[in-house]
Amino acid sequence: MSVMTDTRALDPEVLPVGLDGYLVRFALTPEPAAMTAARRFATRIEEATPEGVVEIAAALVSVLVRFEPSVDRALLQTHLTGMAEEIVSGPLDLPAPTRRWTVPVAFGGEEGPQLAQAAKAAGLTVTQAVDEICAADLRVLTIGFAPGQPYIGLMPEHWNLPRMSELNPSVPAGALVVAVRQFVLFGAESATGWQQVGRAAFRTFVPERAEPMPLRGGDAIRFARATADEIARLSEDNDRMGGAQLEVLR
């Protein structure tokens, strides 16, 4: 399923990083087209990894590719450049997901103290805002900033909310925060400039869990309404999955 399309022209760069890496960069700012291109590039190179490549790390608008010393650098750079140029030639749709998560979230109240504020800024009522969030077909755009922490998007343009002018010094583990058409789901207590609209019992990073970081870049995400009492009960799960359900699509 296509999540978003943006045919804006992009001029990808393949930049050397130290002695054993290239950074494939699609933009300097998090434009939707560049985010889509980076995710398409990461998916393609993960599915058909060139010989000698030892690490692929995707960010919002770029992908780091590290390789063994024996790799022919010029040949790899040519390969990466061709792949990047082919991707930006379009269509710029996110690749079909292989997995989909459904994550229960309690919205508003103590669990989402800035929901009303965010909804108003988006030109919506609180009910409309929660309806849109839960109806959205979202993706894990990248994992970063903290272990297992996902950047999830993209919401419609009216959700292009700016970061707050002052930091919220602390939101709890499981906080669902929103800004710039994206959500972050915090795995631990954190400061943030984004607005907290809900809270989940799902933890994105638990070191002692069999799979410490269950989310992957490209995973589809759906948020499902839950009550604060349900989130409190789900928080008692030993594996801290918080009622999240994973569906393998292909």
Side-chain angles (χ1 to χ4, degrees), residues 48-144:
T49 304
E51 185 175 354
V53 169
V54 296
E55 181 181 4
I56 300 163
L60 280 177
V61 296
S62 62
V63 181
L64 174 66
V65 179
R66 292 186 57 248
F67 49 85
E68 296 174 342
S70 59
V71 166
D72 185 323
R73 293 175 62 94
L75 187 62
L76 179 60
Q77 184 177 27
T78 298
H79 177 74
L80 297 177
T81 299
M83 185 185 300
E85 290 178 348
E86 180 183 346
I87 284 171
V88 300
S89 69
L92 283 179
D93 297 334
L94 285 173
T98 59
R99 314 192 314 166
R100 177 182 292 118
W101 292 88
T102 300
V103 180
V105 175
F107 293 95
E110 293 184 1
E111 311 302 320
Q114 293 163 306
L115 174 62
Q117 176 179 310
K120 183 178 180 180
L124 304 168
T125 66
V126 167
T127 299
Q128 289 171 333
V130 175
D131 286 345
E132 282 199 0
I133 293 170
C134 292
D137 235 345
L138 301 168
R139 298 291 186 87
V140 176
L141 300 171
T142 192
I143 304 287

Side-chain angles (χ1 to χ4, degrees), residues 7-23:
T7 56
R8 183 178 319 179
L10 295 173
D11 186 16
E13 299 176 278
V14 180
L15 307 170
V17 178
L19 298 176
D20 65 347
Y22 282 114
L23 183 72

